[in-house]
Amino acid sequence: MDRILVTGGTGYIGSHTVVELQQAGYPVVIIDNLSNSNRDVLDGIERITGIRPDFVEGDCTDIETLRKLFADYPGIKGIINFAASKAVGESMQKPILYYRNNLNTLMNLLDLMAPNDVKGIVFSSSCTVYGEPDENPVTEQSPIKKATSPYGNTKQISEEIITDVINAGAPFKSVILRYFNPVGAHPSAEIGELPNGVPQNLIPYLTQTAIGIRKELSVFGDDYDTPDGSCIRDYINVVDLAKAHVLAVKRMLEDKSEAKIEIFNLGTGNGVSVLELIDTFEEATGVKVPHKIVGRRAGDIEKVWANPTYANEVLGWKATSTLEDTMCSAWAWQCRLRERGIM
Ligand code: WQD
């Protein structure tokens, strides 16, 4: 079976994708600089699948590190590129770090694909490319809006780099996956989201509040033009999301499409508000989440959710998890972290 390189594979979405790749029979090699994850994730993956993925601790912005990896692990036919800095707020403070890390990583990988006979790359993009959509749900044809953060801009520029390289005649394909909001954890509670420091994203902050690490969850605004005034997002279960990556790899390596570049929205198609999500968590788990309404967070999109029809029909992928089950998986993961004394 073709070997798959997963950059950023000890991260949140990366680790869940490695599990699904291994369970689909693909041998996996991970490269990760552990800047936002740790080696324990490898133990969690092995406990789930029984297979410890090959692992290289390294930085993808150093092309010599990547050159050595391809030499040490022959037969890599597909790449899934998760390695990137991804905090919207941090990117406003450190734009150079984001452009250097996210774009140099991608360009290094693209440079090494043809010499190593790699057939395709799956790129981890984001619904942030749509900015504040003119209408919801958004399709892959919805207009790309000017990015509101360096993080979002690196995703837009990365999509353009991939397009230009392939249109210039590169002998490989790409599938670009635009994620909506990934949430939840593997049902085994062996892996999950483990942000460093104070969580920026809603669900880890919510579960840390529910377990008592955080005193209260701040809801960033209830004066938006939405039914309950809080922002609306499309929350996609991380395991459902991971499964889409396996289908994308198969699609490229088995030449299932004439197109050299394909773009898919990965969402459920359901818009859910912050307050609705809190209610869903409380009802599904029976655990209360102390919360208060505060002012809006700068840069927040009011409402965005996906039309996933193209991914459903062409990629053959559909999100199947319920939001209730997804909230329970996030809570089980938070409880496991407590049991292990990690948090
Ligand atoms: C969701 C909603 C907040 C925290 C970002 C990136 C996106 C992706 C996911 C990487 C918003 C509200 C949040 C809190 C809150 N990142 N919120 N209190 O901003 O939609 O998307 O993360 O792939 O690319 O843009 O996600 O989880 O930060 O916020 O009220 O303590 O929850 O206002 O409406 P976001 P988020």
Side-chain angles (χ1 to χ4, degrees):
M1 186 70 103
D2 297 325
R3 180 179 256 150
I4 307 299
L5 168 62
V6 179
T7 73
T10 54
Y12 172 42
I13 303 167
S15 56
H16 287 81
T17 300
V18 168
V19 164
E20 298 304 321
L21 284 167
Q22 290 185 328
Q23 290 180 334
Y26 289 100
V28 173
V29 51
I30 294 172
I31 181 167
D32 201 302
N33 65 6
L34 302 178
S35 61
N36 196 23
S37 60
N38 61 63
R39 281 174 187 276
D40 298 349
V41 171
L42 300 171
D43 302 329
I45 292 170
E46 187 176 7
R47 281 196 293 272
I48 296 169
T49 65
I51 307 165
R52 192 173 189 82
D54 290 320
F55 176 69
V56 172
E57 181 177 353
D59 198 318
C60 296
T61 58
D62 174 22
I63 198 162
E64 291 314 316
T65 299
L66 286 173
R67 227 190 285 282
K68 183 176 185 313
L69 182 148
F70 279 106
D72 294 345
Y73 295 94
I76 291 173
K77 291 295 172 205
I79 298 173
I80 306 181
N81 182 35
F82 293 107
S85 303
K86 64 157 199 167
V88 172
E90 182 187 47
S91 79
M92 308 293 273
Q93 313 304 324
K94 303 175 182 174
I96 297 284
L97 180 146
Y98 272 68
Y99 288 114
R100 179 175 291 123
N101 183 36
N102 296 6
L103 301 183
N104 284 359
T105 288
L106 176 65
M107 290 186 285
N108 285 345
L109 292 168
L110 294 172
D111 258 345
L112 293 172
M113 285 179 71
N116 292 285
D117 193 27
V118 180
K119 293 182 70 175
I121 182 168
V122 176
F123 177 70
S124 160
S125 190
S126 169
C127 61
T128 44
V129 303
Y130 299 116
E132 185 74 59
D134 301 327
E135 59 182 326
N136 282 295
V138 292
T139 71
E140 291 79 359
Q141 287 68 45
S142 294
I144 302 301
K145 296 287 186 72
K146 177 157 177 41
T148 55
S149 71
Y151 161 77
N153 206 22
T154 66
K155 292 301 181 185
Q156 288 185 11
I157 297 169
S158 294
E159 291 192 10
E160 290 166 2
I161 290 172
I162 291 168
T163 303
D164 289 348
V165 165
I166 288 180
N167 289 342
F172 50 76
K173 295 184 167 185
S174 181
V175 171
I176 294 171
L177 300 177
R178 291 175 178 162
Y179 309 158
F180 284 70
N181 284 56
V183 290
H186 193 270
S188 66
E190 295 292 357
I191 55 176
E193 192 169 9
L194 188 52
N196 289 339
V198 178
Q200 298 302 305
N201 289 133
L202 177 61
I203 292 304
Y205 203 104
L206 184 153
T207 57
Q208 288 185 19
T209 302
I211 206 161
I213 296 168
R214 310 288 165 196
K215 181 171 171 297
E216 197 173 34
L217 170 66
S218 297
V219 174
F220 296 139
D222 70 345
D223 59 349
Y224 287 96
D225 178 19
T226 61
D228 64 19
S230 63
C231 293
I232 295 176
R233 295 289 186 275
D234 185 329
Y235 294 98
I236 170 87
N237 179 288
V238 67
V239 176
D240 287 342
L241 187 67
K243 291 180 190 296
H245 291 74
V246 180
L247 289 168
V249 162
K250 283 174 75 70
R251 187 171 175 78
M252 288 189 306
L253 301 194
E254 294 170 13
D255 281 321
K256 288 184 176 173
S257 162
E258 292 299 310
K260 294 203 71 177
I261 303 175
E262 292 183 292
I263 298 177
F264 297 100
N265 281 346
L266 296 184
T268 66
N270 305 316
V272 174
S273 77
V274 178
L275 293 172
E276 284 170 338
L277 198 71
I278 294 169
D279 290 346
T280 304
F281 178 89
E282 292 183 336
E283 281 160 32
T285 63
V287 178
K288 284 292 178 199
V289 182
H291 59 280
K292 65 181 174 184
I293 306 294
V294 299
R296 296 182 173 192
R297 177 173 69 175
D300 267 343
I301 303 294
E302 178 174 82
K303 45 186 177 245
V304 58
W305 66 93
N307 175 333
T309 307
Y310 189 61
N312 300 158
E313 293 175 356
V314 174
L315 189 57
W317 169 86
K318 188 169 174 56
T320 56
S321 305
T322 65
L323 196 56
E324 290 75 11
D325 287 348
T326 301
M327 291 298 99
C328 288
S329 72
W331 179 235
W333 166 245
Q334 188 68 63
C335 293
R336 181 67 60 86
L337 291 172
R338 167 63 52 92
E339 287 159 22
R340 291 184 183 162
I342 295 170
M343 186 165 273

